[in-house]
Amino acid sequence: MANATHIDLDQVRQQLRQPRAQLKGRQTTDEIRAQVRDLIGQPPADGHRKDLLIEHLHVLNDHFSGLFERHIVALAAEMCLPVVEVFEVASFYHHFEILKDEEVAASLTVRVCDSVSCSLAGSDSLLSHLQKDLSGVKVVPVPCLGRCEQAPAAQVGQQAVAHATLDAVVQRVVHKQTTPNPLPNAIRMMAYLEAGGYQLVRQVALGEREAESVIQVLEHSGLRGLGGAGFPSGRKWRIVRSQPSPRLMAVNIDEGEPGTFKDRTLLESDPHRFLEGVLLAANVVGVDAVYIYLRDEYHEARVLLSEELAALRANPPCALPNIELRRGAGAYICGEESAMIESIEGKRGEPRLRPPYIAEVGLFGRPTLEHNFETLYWIRELLEQGAESFLSRGRHGRQGLRRFSVSGRVKHPGVKLAPAGITLRELVHEYCGGMAEGHTLYAYLPGGASGGILPERLADVPLDFDTLQPYGCFIGSAAVIVLSESDTARESALNVMRFFAHESCGQCTPCRVGTDKAAQLMADNVWDADTLNDLAQVMGDASICGLGQAAPNPIRCVLKYFPHEVAEAVKA
């Protein structure tokens, strides 16, 4: 046909091979890119490391009081990442405030904890008054700040406020007191060395103490992971040590379980005891690099740990592995080991499916030794005093010692070092000075938000691994929250379910939808027990990780032990 259009395919192919003048989508400018580069530094010869994305987002978020879209686009260009990937990561974490370019960032953010212990101490009233009285400042409710013994807890910028009052918070805002508090009582490097610190790790590094003997002490002591899962530590070291090198280590200090504050308390007082545990593990297992993941709410601890890591590098007791301190960004789910590893790699903190287990395929695809802070904090003491000394300290047929984070209606909340197997009643009366004035024991959460709720009549059950499961609970991180007759179990259960709904990563439907729907149903005066039991079954059976699997515990406990609080008779 005379009018047919002729297409030269060779010419089309040639055009498609030509590079574009610019990428598709929104473009950055040299000026904005220079702003980002001034903050995150010049790119190395091989480009910015992708796993440092979250660290770079923190730098921008801190400097500009938010993440403006223009800076996200420029950061993506600097790191040679798709813009959508940077947005996906930034939007996952609660502490990153994504702003449109025409918006104005808040001059300051005040955070008020609304978890169980702080709610019992009046944080709801404090929040409402601050929102009414403070202008030009962003005041937001947040999940547990890890300061339950100081309830109600708040943060003004990066400064923690213990036993927060309206006046205390307002004064900090007025006087711009927003930087982390000093920690004058912390044991620093020189004091730790003078007290015999790092001698054990020198012995192991020099071969004066066999690595196998260290593992045997851990195995004999029965030391288990103290972040919640409770896996035997000696067995974990042996498994990872048997894997091909290079082997890595990830330390979990994302202490986000409501009611838990033991790791922060220990870190703020004796950081080198923890670091010696890290180096002992690294030497025995044969670790090339260590990544310490610290929750973002712990600003004081981060400053201290950064300073003491610098002191350690300046005066190393042995050849040090590469040690990197990574900053969380407000995501409870990153307390789950594989989600933490995803976050360290610069990704959204979504749990991985297993197998493979991280001991075989973990951080950056390498065999990884993952530990909670407190587990490593115990290593020096176990090696110095021996397993037998540790084992002799239990109670009620249990062995060892446990650190309990105790908060709520007790006279003296705090971290209590007590025999494993101690009962709640004994813990309160022997270590906490009894119940707070005017309060009578009614119920308690033995393992934080995830561990369930038990009534006063079960306050004589030993608190330890495997002792609470017959009652539908578990000890987890040993975060004990004590309730009195002035409280209700249903309100505490609703509080933690709203927490789970807020913190669900959204990856799996049973957890994402189940926690939200359960929170709605639990807000009713009379609970729909059949529907809630169905939800609990599905969440427990089909969720990917421990968050969704443990979320049903408060539902089941209230229906089993406190039915009078949610039955038809109380509808009026």
Side-chain angles (χ1 to χ4, degrees):
M1 298 176 58
N3 295 328
T5 302
H6 176 72
I7 299 176
D8 188 336
L9 293 179
D10 290 335
Q11 183 180 0
V12 171
R13 292 189 187 101
Q14 189 65 29
Q15 290 174 347
L16 290 174
R17 292 191 185 102
Q18 296 299 316
R20 293 178 178 274
Q22 64 180 28
L23 297 174
K24 286 185 177 181
R26 178 171 174 172
Q27 304 302 306
T28 187
T29 66
D30 291 341
E31 178 185 0
I32 301 302
R33 195 161 176 172
Q35 290 178 5
V36 170
R37 186 173 291 179
D38 287 344
L39 291 171
I40 70 171
Q42 294 288 332
D46 54 352
H48 288 288
R49 288 164 49 187
K50 181 179 177 181
D51 61 291
L52 292 177
L53 172 58
I54 293 172
E55 297 298 306
H56 294 333
L57 287 169
H58 271 302
V59 172
L60 298 178
N61 197 69
D62 289 348
H63 185 81
F64 296 108
S65 299
L67 294 174
F68 288 95
E69 290 180 347
R70 59 182 179 271
H71 295 128
I72 291 177
V73 174
L75 178 62
E78 280 293 291
M79 298 188 70
C80 299
L81 293 172
V83 174
V84 66
E85 182 175 344
V86 180
F87 264 100
E88 284 178 346
V89 172
S91 62
F92 182 84
Y93 297 93
H94 298 307
H95 288 184
F96 293 142
E97 182 76 10
I98 298 178
L99 301 169
K100 293 186 178 299
D101 288 341
E102 62 271 17
E103 291 185 279
V104 177
S107 61
L108 180 64
T109 297
V110 174
R111 294 179 168 90
V112 180
C113 177
D114 65 0
S115 290
V116 175
S117 299
C118 287
S119 183
L120 296 178
S123 65
D124 297 339
S125 174
L126 174 64
L127 174 67
S128 63
H129 281 93
L130 287 171
Q131 289 175 330
K132 181 176 65 175
D133 293 356
L134 289 177
S135 59
V137 174
K138 185 177 181 180
V139 181
V140 293
V142 294
C144 187
L145 290 171
R147 298 181 178 274
C148 316
E149 85 283 22
Q150 303 170 0
Q155 276 187 344
V156 177
Q158 294 189 359
Q159 185 169 116
V161 186
H163 306 293
T165 63
L166 178 62
D167 182 63
V169 174
V170 170
Q171 288 301 312
R172 283 170 171 80
V173 172
V174 170
H175 296 290
K176 296 181 172 57
Q177 297 174 338
T178 62
T179 57
N181 293 302
L183 297 171
N185 297 321
I187 299 172
R188 300 283 181 159
M189 178 78 169
M190 291 309 299
Y192 187 75
L193 289 171
E194 290 169 0
Y198 291 114
Q199 290 183 9
L200 280 169
V201 75
R202 285 194 187 96
Q203 293 171 7
V204 173
L206 294 172
E208 297 173 2
R209 183 158 189 162
E210 292 290 334
E212 177 62 26
S213 70
V214 175
I215 295 179
Q216 288 176 357
V217 170
L218 296 187
E219 291 176 330
H220 184 48
S221 71
L223 181 68
R224 296 169 67 169
L226 298 172
F231 191 86
S233 300
R235 190 192 311 173
K236 182 182 289 188
W237 286 27
R238 196 175 292 284
I239 290 171
V240 178
R241 192 175 183 224
S242 70
Q243 299 297 312
S245 60
R247 294 178 285 272
L248 306 178
M249 184 174 177
V251 183
N252 193 336
I253 323 180
D254 195 59
E255 189 177 46
E257 183 72 32
T260 313
F261 48 90
K262 59 183 177 60
D263 292 352
R264 173 190 59 78
T265 302
L266 297 173
L267 177 56
E268 290 180 348
S269 62
D270 196 354
H272 287 282
R273 184 171 293 269
F274 154 68
L275 290 174
E276 184 162 12
V278 169
L279 295 183
L280 283 164
N283 275 273
V284 170
V285 176
V287 164
D288 293 348
V290 178
Y291 296 82
I292 301 173
Y293 191 86
L294 179 66
R295 75 177 303 206
D296 193 34
E297 290 84 350
Y298 291 173
H299 299 291
E300 286 82 2
R302 186 175 66 254
V303 172
L304 174 66
L305 188 54
S306 297
E307 292 172 351
E308 296 313 300
L309 279 170
L312 180 66
R313 294 185 184 105
N315 185 21
C318 61
L320 299 181
N322 178 52
I323 303 175
E324 295 191 21
L325 177 59
R326 294 298 181 85
R327 183 176 169 186
Y332 166 74
I333 191 62
C334 290
E336 196 275 341
E337 60 180 12
S338 66
M340 175 190 66
I341 283 175
E342 290 287 297
S343 188
I344 292 173
E345 292 181 355
K347 304 172 187 174
R348 295 163 63 91
E350 295 177 337
R352 297 176 179 177
L353 291 172
R354 284 162 284 194
Y357 295 94
I358 67 167
E360 301 169 309
V361 182
L363 190 56
F364 306 119
R366 301 307 311 164
T368 303
L369 177 67
E370 189 276 341
H371 265 312
N372 164 260
F373 170 93
E374 191 196 355
T375 310
L376 294 164
Y377 192 88
W378 271 109
I379 304 300
R380 176 184 168 185
E381 184 170 339
L382 285 175
L383 295 179
E384 287 180 338
Q385 299 186 10
E388 291 298 336
S389 174
F390 179 77
L391 292 170
S392 66
R393 304 290 295 278
R395 192 178 290 188
H396 301 299
R398 311 301 295 182
Q399 294 181 312
L401 292 167
R402 287 299 305 263
R403 285 186 175 88
F404 296 88
S405 303
V406 186
S407 62
R409 307 294 193 181
V410 296
K411 282 184 181 178
H412 306 302
V415 177
K416 312 298 178 179
L417 181 62
I422 194 171
T423 69
L424 182 281
R425 203 181 308 277
E426 293 168 339
L427 183 64
V428 169
H429 288 283
E430 296 177 29
Y431 290 83
C432 303
M435 294 292 292
E437 199 68 34
H439 290 275
T440 303
L441 178 63
Y442 173 66
Y444 66 103
L445 287 72
S450 305
I453 309 175
L454 292 174
E456 179 274 338
R457 64 183 174 84
L458 293 177
D460 298 309
V461 175
L463 299 175
D464 198 11
F465 292 112
D466 311 319
T467 60
L468 298 169
Q469 278 82 342
Y471 305 95
C473 297
F474 61 86
I475 195 168
S477 60
V480 177
I481 304 174
V482 180
L483 308 180
S484 78
E485 293 284 354
S486 63
D487 311 310
T488 63
R490 71 174 299 277
E491 283 300 323
S492 294
L494 176 57
N495 183 294
V496 301
M497 190 57 70
R498 285 172 172 163
F499 167 78
F500 288 137
H502 181 264
E503 294 297 326
S504 173
C505 76
Q507 182 178 191
C508 64
T509 303
C511 176
R512 181 184 68 250
V513 177
T515 53
D516 184 66
K517 181 63 175 177
Q520 295 176 40
L521 293 171
M522 292 165 70
D524 294 338
N525 287 333
V526 178
W527 284 13
D528 182 346
D530 290 340
T531 303
L532 282 168
N533 276 320
D534 285 345
L535 278 173
Q537 185 73 41
V538 173
M539 282 192 286
D541 290 346
S543 295
I544 290 174
C545 78
L547 190 158
Q549 293 163 9
N553 288 340
I555 298 174
R556 290 172 172 148
C557 286
V558 170
L559 292 174
K560 181 177 181 179
Y561 299 117
F562 309 94
H564 58 282
E565 293 189 14
V566 295
E568 188 71 28
V570 300
K571 187 173 184 179

